[in-house]
Amino acid sequence: MTVAVDLGTTHAGNPAELDLEELLSTRLLVQGNSGSGKSHLLRRLLERSAGWVQQAIIDPEGDFVTLADRFGHVVVDANRTPNDLARIANRIRQHRASVVLTLEGLDADVQMQCAAAFLNGLFDADRAHWFPMLIAVDEAHLFAPAMAGEHSDEARRASLGAMTNLMCRGRKRGLAGVIATQRLAKLAKNVAAEASNFLMGRTFLDIDMQRAADLIGIDRRGAERFRDLETGSFIALGPALFRRPTPIRIGSVETSARSGRPVLMPMPDIAPDDLADLVLTPSEEERAAEARPVRRSLIRPEPAAGAPARPAAACDMPRVETSELLSRVAHSAPANDPAPADDEDDRSPAERAEAVDRIFADMLDDPEAAFRPVPVLYQEFLTHCRLKRLRGAETDMGAFRRRLSLARAGVSGDETDGEWADVVARSAELPEEMQGVFMMLARAARDEAECPPDEDLAMAYGSHSPSRGRFLLSFMEERGLIAVEKDFRGNRIVSINATGWRTRLPEVTLDTLDEARMRRAARLARKA
């Protein structure tokens, strides 16, 4: 079946058509300086072929996401782990969905690794799902650079390998590459050489004009015509286009990019003093963004100004130093004196539980309590319980350990839903001192919060060392309680295997991009 995609008209006024079936076998390369109309050409091609063939667009600037509203493309945010992107790519081929992989806002190295993971996922799909598919890559020189630059070697190798597979070996798997680049000199030769169809737009540099002329078979004098091409005009050649180099003009499109051509507009009519005030004074949004969230710690926060104080009770007592407590114990009755039995205690179970809660709260008010050995804390706890005439199950060593681990992790013990009960049951497979850390991870995953950092995990365990937090994660993963994945920046996603809960990735902000650029600059400086 032959499908002719209408790209526009030739300079003679005849239709400029592209044979879609032939394109699937021979691939396409689009070249032109910035502003020559490459993205417009890709959009025209994708719009006119959307009803005939499955499509995937690698979109570094997020310009093609507008295809989703008009043609039903699924927009895939690339801020995911490599395994997530590979699984999504597999499902895309299985269900024949057209997608836009948007890389907007990601660092250059991360963009390359995301594109590589996604393309490899498409390439490695099961043979039963090798349906015909157009893979459009805008700004292809970013993903298949001709030479090493400021990018890491690992990212460059992964991205270049995926692009080479797409252009060299993709045909047998139904993948047809359509790549667009600003300069042929920036694009890896092995990638460019696999295309048999060419659309060459306006070009000014001699080296790019010469390479374009060599690809479409015109002499050096004829290469000068690339300088004279207007925006949206291209020289077309290839088995899916024309047998001889033919100038064409690309037609109109139905959708528009979010970032179009620059348009001049009047300057704002604002007094200089008012304008200076707007520039130099931070806005309310900036003040809110600068406010850093406070990490949950073991120190109970003081009540805010005007907030009601913690209600006092008859059995409440002021904070007493440990040395004073030990002194009181030394001068109290002998240990073998008969103590009041539980049934002689006139307090209700709720009152006794409230007293134990206060003891824990008072003990954990001390910042160093997070790092003191459990036996020492238990002895202090027993001393407090003796002074409050508490005995029985509340003072059991095992119950104390479990409650302490939960308190260190910032998790309450009053969860009752079915899934949380499964988490509590699985936590019993761990040593008691690790159970609170597991519950801390489970709470973050259920709330779809970010994974706690190594320092918080170590603190919940009772250690100062961040490496202890990493060890705890690997220990739990080896026993099948959790699954740990990392994105391209090293951020963790932790999944709780018993429930399927997952933590989320941190938001991509200007601060994270600046940190990534600083790390890359430091890496390049070390190499130099």
Side-chain angles (χ1 to χ4, degrees), residues 202-314:
R202 185 174 57 207
T203 304
F204 287 99
L205 292 181
D206 291 341
I207 184 173
D208 293 324
M209 288 194 300
Q210 188 57 50
R211 284 194 61 182
D214 292 341
L215 284 174
I216 63 176
I218 61 178
D219 58 21
R220 183 178 296 272
R221 180 175 299 178
E224 296 291 333
R225 65 197 298 188
F226 292 121
R227 284 199 178 107
D228 301 327
L229 290 174
E230 298 178 356
T231 299
S233 294
F234 292 82
I235 306 297
L237 176 70
L241 291 163
F242 299 94
R243 298 296 176 177
R244 295 289 184 271
T246 305
I248 67 171
R249 174 174 289 279
I250 305 303
S252 61
V253 294
E254 301 177 41
T255 61
S256 60
R258 294 189 302 175
S259 57
R261 294 176 62 86
V263 178
L264 293 176
M265 61 181 64
M267 296 294 292
D269 186 13
I270 303 176
D273 291 342
D274 295 338
L275 190 59
D277 185 59
L278 289 174
V279 171
L280 300 177
T281 304
S283 65
E284 293 297 331
E285 293 80 4
E286 291 173 329
R287 292 193 186 99
E290 290 172 358
R292 300 297 183 189
V294 179
R295 286 182 181 173
R296 180 171 54 195
S297 67
L298 297 180
I299 305 175
R300 189 176 55 193
E302 294 294 333
R310 180 167 59 92

Side-chain angles (χ1 to χ4, degrees), residues 144-382:
M147 61 186 69
E150 61 179 8
H151 310 298
S152 68
D153 292 340
E154 178 185 1
R156 179 177 178 271
R157 282 195 300 269
S159 181
L160 181 57
M163 289 288 289
T164 303
N165 276 340
L166 170 65
M167 298 299 288
C168 297
R169 303 168 57 203
R171 184 181 64 83
K172 292 184 178 179
R173 289 165 172 78
L175 303 177
V178 177
I179 58 176
T181 182
Q182 293 181 6
R183 293 190 57 201
L184 287 171
K186 289 184 176 181
L187 186 65
K189 292 183 178 180
N190 287 343
V191 173
E194 294 301 324
S196 301
N197 300 285
F198 305 98
L199 284 163
M200 299 300 180
R202 185 174 57 207
T203 304
F204 287 99
L205 292 181
D206 291 341
I207 184 173
D208 293 324
M209 288 194 300
Q210 188 57 50
R211 284 194 61 182
D214 292 341
L215 284 174
I216 63 176
I218 61 178
D219 58 21
R220 183 178 296 272
R221 180 175 299 178
E224 296 291 333
R225 65 197 298 188
F226 292 121
R227 284 199 178 107
D228 301 327
L229 290 174
E230 298 178 356
T231 299
S233 294
F234 292 82
I235 306 297
L237 176 70
L241 291 163
F242 299 94
R243 298 296 176 177
R244 295 289 184 271
T246 305
I248 67 171
R249 174 174 289 279
I250 305 303
S252 61
V253 294
E254 301 177 41
T255 61
S256 60
R258 294 189 302 175
S259 57
R261 294 176 62 86
V263 178
L264 293 176
M265 61 181 64
M267 296 294 292
D269 186 13
I270 303 176
D273 291 342
D274 295 338
L275 190 59
D277 185 59
L278 289 174
V279 171
L280 300 177
T281 304
S283 65
E284 293 297 331
E285 293 80 4
E286 291 173 329
R287 292 193 186 99
E290 290 172 358
R292 300 297 183 189
V294 179
R295 286 182 181 173
R296 180 171 54 195
S297 67
L298 297 180
I299 305 175
R300 189 176 55 193
E302 294 294 333
R310 180 167 59 92
C315 58
D316 203 2
M317 66 178 226
R319 181 164 181 83
V320 181
E321 296 296 332
T322 304
S323 57
E324 184 178 347
L325 288 173
L326 294 177
S327 176
R328 290 184 187 180
V329 172
H331 293 86
S332 61
N336 56 1
D337 279 359
D342 291 343
D343 56 1
E344 297 177 3
D345 194 337
D346 57 355
R347 289 172 292 186
S348 67
E351 292 174 333
R352 292 169 60 84
E354 184 181 1
V356 173
D357 290 342
R358 292 199 187 96
I359 292 174
F360 263 94
D362 289 335
M363 288 176 57
L364 296 181
D365 271 346
D366 182 4
E368 292 302 316
F371 310 106
R372 292 163 66 185
V374 174
V376 174
L377 291 175
Y378 181 59
Q379 291 301 321
E380 183 176 344
F381 171 71
L382 289 180

